[in-house]
Amino acid sequence: MKTYKQTFAECRKASHSGLKRAALIPFFVIGDPDFDTSFEIIKAAIDAGVDILELGVAFSDPIADGPTIQKADIRALASGINIEKAKDLIRKIKSYKDIPIGLLMYYNLIYQYGTEKFFVDFARAGVNSVLIADLSIDDVDEIYAPARKAGLDTVFMVTPNTEIERAKKIAEKCTGFIYTVSLLGVTGGRDTLSDMIKPLISRLKSITDVPVCVGFGISTPQHAVELAKAGADGVIIGSRIVKIIEDNLNDKKSIPAKVKEFLSQIKEAIEAK
Amino acid sequence: MKYGGRFGQFGGFYVPEVLILALEEMEKAFYKYYKDKKFTTELDVLYHDYAGRPTPLYYATRFSELVGFKVYIKREDLLHGGAHKVNNCLGQGLLAKYMGKTKLIAETGAGQHGLATSMVGALFGMQTKIFMGTIDVERQSVNVHKMRLCGAEVIPVKGGTETLKDAINEALRYWTANVADTFYLFGTACGPHPYPTIVKHFQSCIGIEARAQCLEKMGKLPDIVTACVGGGSNAIGIFSAFVDDKNVKLIGVEPAGKGIKTGKHAAPLNAGKVGILHGTKMYLMQNKEGQILDTESISAGLDYPGVGPEHCLLKDTGRAQYVAVEDKDVLDIFDIFTKCEGILPALESSHSLAWVYSQKGKLPADTTVVVNLSGRGDKDVDIVERNRK
């Protein structure tokens, strides 16, 4: 199974004119807008050459998400997605291509499944890491050992208001990458890049070698390029892509091609920077 | 964070990283000021002159005759704003002022907490935004008007069940984006640490007064103390003073809505499972996979799928008992009690009265029961009318 380490190493090798290439990481809610379309969309993303997939398991009360992802969660739940089906979709993706997959979800779903069992079962299905949006480094002991034992990498979030000593502690517990939140707020497309993110990347780069991937509000090829230039090891694009799904619900068949086209533009931009 | 905010296995602070700093600041400020002479003196004056504390403990003569034992009413309904919520809002509002915050946000269900926050926002000259589910905006329109009159902005929250839970979701989202200058004035003894501890502290005046009033009026402690439980702030406020009095029974009353068996209720202590929502581990109404269930209760203030972590512990240790009463019994008691005593109880508080009424003929005549009448029912007159048809 392909690891984050291998992927980030490949990206470093793909550097040109002294700049490494940032990993392209799209985010999708599993089963949005329905199981089959979701699979087609994710395959199209893989075909566009993305490096890692960040996948959400829909939750009824996503407090860290803005309206776009909230609606995606509702669509996925309404189409009948559940934990077992999410696992099935992950297996199908992995048999299509061996690409690293990070889950991004809320704690209650994992807690109800049984934390240890969740990690074991999802590692087996092909997941590389599970990032829990509402579990901070203060409660790392509830998940770190079981995650590592199941063979998962760990990923935690750092935000622009995370103090430096705390960021060091977080970095020490991240074996996969640091999910670096670009702004203060919830997920959602933004027109401009937050002015907090470049200083945050520099701060993190000065304290750790763990790859720094940036998400929240990343919406355009220009954003991705700017972040790559600022030293980001990966760019995570969520709401902007999920919005393509939302805007084309009356013609679901057209969505995969549109998602592919958008991701190809981003990919091209970060490769040609 | 200095403390874990745990009550046995319950509580904690399960929130996105972006909120940690704000909760840390709040914890630090709370422990710095809650015993500080200047702070407590200022708060005491506000409790007394602004809110109208202490509230009386009233012996309900006719209601006692009706049920066949002695019922005392802790009159939180007489407070400014019409409910116990002002206790917590003055405390947290003052804390916000000491912390130098200039903006307040709050969630509200019945509108009582939103109203109390709006009053305090006006009092301290702070810009105030209230998040409220669209269904609640409609069923509690009088309170919405009052909030606006106080200068608050009421933000109707769509999505989900459009009730208290969704108002909290949206307030938390807003807070993550405005965390630097905004104080989230949380309404109940729930949510992430330090809220359960802070809210309990600022509501503990109810129990401290009630206990002293019992000793004065009855010459002894009561046999039973009862309060309604949604998030659980009025209940923990009155229970806290009696927890160490082992002979005093504590009865929390949850909303059974259309009936526990129908699933249409909001009684996690009676029919929920341990889970994590809104930053805390607690009993929670959820399906097998952990998706939060829709709740139902005639009282907007109790219409919430979770319950404060300390109540969860009190249930597990057996120190308090948690029962549930249905909407129809709540509507009945609203009429019965009002006709008996000329006091309109809030539909929330009517839950504990309904439990007391259910004990009619079952308890010895010398039994003494204290009911925390957490709010007045003026806001509910329309709802009661509508449900009568």
Side-chain angles (χ1 to χ4, degrees):
Chain A
M1 198 171 94
K2 193 161 180 184
T3 64
Y4 288 137
K5 221 170 231 129
Q6 288 165 342
T7 301
F8 288 116
E10 278 173 22
C11 288
R12 266 193 300 275
K13 264 190 213 152
S15 65
H16 64 94
S17 41
L19 281 169
K20 67 174 182 293
R21 184 170 75 73
L24 177 53
I25 311 172
F27 168 88
F28 300 97
V29 174
I30 295 175
D32 169 34
D34 58 62
F35 188 94
D36 293 336
T37 312
S38 182
F39 184 44
E40 293 306 317
I41 294 168
I42 292 168
K43 279 197 291 188
I46 292 170
D47 294 345
V50 303
D51 302 287
I52 294 169
L53 293 171
E54 187 81 14
L55 300 178
V57 180
F59 182 51
S60 53
D61 294 81
I63 56 163
D65 286 300
T68 306
I69 309 269
Q70 287 173 43
K71 282 186 234 164
D73 279 3
I74 292 168
R75 283 195 297 272
L77 289 170
S79 82
I81 201 73
N82 57 30
I83 301 281
E84 284 312 312
K85 285 184 187 165
K87 214 189 295 164
D88 285 347
L89 192 68
I90 290 165
R91 284 198 204 98
K92 286 182 82 164
I93 295 165
K94 290 299 273 198
S95 57
Y96 183 72
K97 192 186 177 185
D98 184 15
I99 181 171
I101 294 177
L103 286 187
L104 173 47
M105 52 192 297
Y106 292 86
Y107 195 20
N108 197 45
L109 300 180
I110 296 168
Y111 187 80
Q112 297 311 323
Y113 191 97
T115 304
E116 272 176 49
K117 189 170 177 335
F118 186 93
F119 290 155
V120 169
D121 289 359
F122 276 78
R124 209 169 281 160
V127 159
N128 295 62
S129 66
V130 179
L131 167 55
I132 303 172
D134 54 351
L135 186 138
S136 71
I137 201 70
D138 306 275
D139 290 310
V140 63
D141 292 344
E142 294 189 26
I143 60 161
Y144 190 81
R148 297 298 287 154
K149 205 176 143 203
L152 293 174
D153 272 318
T154 51
V155 175
F156 287 92
M157 284 189 184
V158 165
T159 51
N161 61 358
T162 305
E163 284 166 345
I164 193 85
E165 287 307 311
R166 186 175 168 86
K168 277 185 198 165
K169 252 200 260 172
I170 294 171
E172 277 167 23
K173 291 292 181 187
C174 291
T175 65
F177 58 87
I178 297 171
Y179 193 118
T180 311
V181 178
S182 80
L183 44 76
L184 298 179
V186 292
T187 60
R190 308 285 200 282
D191 291 338
T192 53
L193 218 47
S194 151
D195 54 11
M196 293 181 228
I197 184 57
K198 285 179 194 167
L200 178 57
I201 295 172
S202 312
R203 277 207 299 285
L204 289 173
K205 284 292 169 190
S206 73
I207 59 165
T208 180
D209 294 328
V210 179
V212 171
C213 299
V214 181
F216 282 44
I218 318 305
S219 307
T220 67
Q222 289 71 31
H223 291 170
V225 170
E226 270 188 65
L227 291 171
K229 282 187 179 158
D233 299 281
V235 288
I236 306 160
I237 305 179
S239 297
R240 177 63 184 77
I241 302 171
V242 173
K243 192 77 178 38
I244 298 176
I245 301 175
E246 182 186 327
D247 289 343
N248 292 283
L249 288 170
N250 53 4
D251 185 13
K252 288 185 195 172
K253 284 208 161 59
S254 74
I255 300 172
K258 285 177 175 153
V259 168
K260 188 177 171 186
E261 190 195 336
F262 176 73
L263 285 168
S264 300
Q265 283 171 19
I266 305 261
K267 173 101 178 166
E268 207 174 296
I270 47 180
E271 278 177 347
K273 72 183 177 198
Chain B
M1 212 81 86
K2 194 165 175 205
Y3 305 98
R6 293 283 174 176
F7 303 88
Q9 67 159 317
F10 304 103
F13 47 97
Y14 297 96
V15 295
E17 171 68 18
V18 64
L19 292 179
I20 294 287
L21 189 68
L23 294 174
E24 270 175 355
E25 257 185 19
M26 195 171 284
E27 185 199 51
K28 206 171 150 196
F30 174 70
Y31 284 107
K32 181 175 173 191
Y33 294 121
Y34 84 114
K35 282 185 179 165
D36 174 78
K37 190 87 202 299
K38 185 166 170 283
F39 182 90
T40 52
T41 307
E42 205 173 333
L43 184 58
D44 282 346
V45 169
L46 288 168
Y47 273 176
H48 188 271
D49 297 347
Y50 186 81
R53 300 214 72 88
T55 59
L57 183 71
Y58 163 70
Y59 177 58
T61 326
R62 293 193 65 213
F63 190 63
S64 296
E65 272 170 29
L66 181 70
V67 294
F69 48 86
K70 294 173 179 162
V71 182
Y72 290 80
I73 306 291
K74 181 61 176 162
R75 299 290 310 272
E76 294 297 293
D77 61 309
L78 291 176
L79 286 171
H80 176 45
H84 73 292
K85 293 293 184 188
V86 70
N87 304 327
N88 172 47
C89 289
L90 284 172
Q92 282 195 50
L94 195 60
L95 192 60
K97 189 178 137 185
Y98 274 60
M99 289 169 75
K101 302 283 179 183
T102 55
K103 292 174 183 167
L104 297 179
I105 57 166
E107 82 294 344
T108 197
Q112 291 303 120
H113 175 59
L115 176 57
T117 304
S118 305
M119 288 161 11
V120 166
L123 174 70
F124 293 136
M126 292 180 189
Q127 193 191 325
T128 305
K129 284 186 172 36
I130 306 295
F131 295 84
M132 189 171 188
T134 45
I135 287 188
D136 290 338
V137 168
E138 192 226 336
R139 64 177 165 177
Q140 297 290 351
S141 59
V142 176
N143 272 339
V144 173
H145 286 305
K146 289 185 192 167
M147 286 181 242
R148 289 184 176 140
L149 285 170
C150 288
E153 184 188 347
V154 178
I155 301 169
V157 176
K158 283 187 187 161
T161 48
E162 305 188 346
T163 56
L164 182 54
K165 168 181 81 105
D166 309 286
I168 295 177
N169 287 343
E170 209 49 38
L172 283 170
R173 289 181 188 122
Y174 180 88
W175 200 29
T176 60
N178 298 276
V179 74
D181 62 354
T182 301
F183 186 101
Y184 185 2
L185 208 164
F186 201 70
T188 191
C190 202
H193 172 71
Y195 286 114
T197 300
I198 291 182
V199 175
K200 174 193 173 178
H201 176 75
F202 290 132
Q203 292 294 2
S204 64
C205 51
I206 306 172
I208 292 167
E209 280 175 23
R211 193 175 182 280
Q213 288 164 326
C214 285
L215 292 174
E216 194 190 305
K217 284 188 196 278
M218 313 172 195
K220 60 175 187 129
L221 292 173
D223 297 306
I224 297 170
V225 173
T226 179
C228 62
V229 179
S233 71
N234 91 82
I236 206 70
I238 195 161
F239 286 179
S240 56
F242 296 96
V243 161
D244 293 334
D245 302 317
K246 299 295 174 205
N247 293 326
V248 179
K249 261 190 170 178
L250 306 174
I251 309 278
V253 187
E254 291 194 300
K258 298 259 189 317
I260 295 283
K261 281 184 188 143
T262 66
K264 294 182 172 184
H265 58 85
L269 289 167
N270 279 274
K273 238 182 93 193
V274 179
I276 296 121
L277 180 71
H278 295 152
T280 196
K281 192 180 279 183
M282 60 186 165
Y283 282 100
L284 196 52
M285 309 252 315
Q286 55 185 317
N287 72 11
K288 225 180 116 211
E289 294 213 325
Q291 305 290 354
I292 309 308
L293 292 174
D294 292 354
T295 54
E296 203 168 310
S297 167
I298 191 161
S299 90
L302 304 180
D303 203 351
Y304 182 64
V307 58
E310 194 166 3
H311 286 295
C312 299
L313 181 63
L314 290 172
K315 172 197 153 80
D316 278 10
T317 60
R319 179 60 193 95
Q321 255 177 281
Y322 294 88
V323 297
V325 300
E326 296 182 13
D327 286 350
K328 59 177 168 43
D329 298 323
V330 171
L331 285 165
D332 285 348
I333 202 70
F334 184 88
D335 270 358
I336 294 168
F337 187 78
T338 307
K339 292 220 165 60
C340 243
E341 298 290 344
I343 297 171
L344 276 133
L347 285 175
E348 288 77 18
S349 324
S350 297
H351 282 72
S352 42
L353 289 170
W355 176 80
V356 170
Y357 188 67
S358 76
Q359 300 304 298
K360 182 180 170 184
K362 292 183 192 163
L363 297 174
D366 60 349
T367 309
T368 48
V369 180
V370 172
V371 178
N372 194 25
L373 196 71
S374 55
R376 64 176 180 231
D378 306 46
K379 69 184 173 57
D380 297 315
V381 171
D382 283 350
I383 297 173
V384 171
E385 264 323 297
R386 247 178 283 155
N387 277 279
R388 212 175 257 149
K389 281 166 196 162

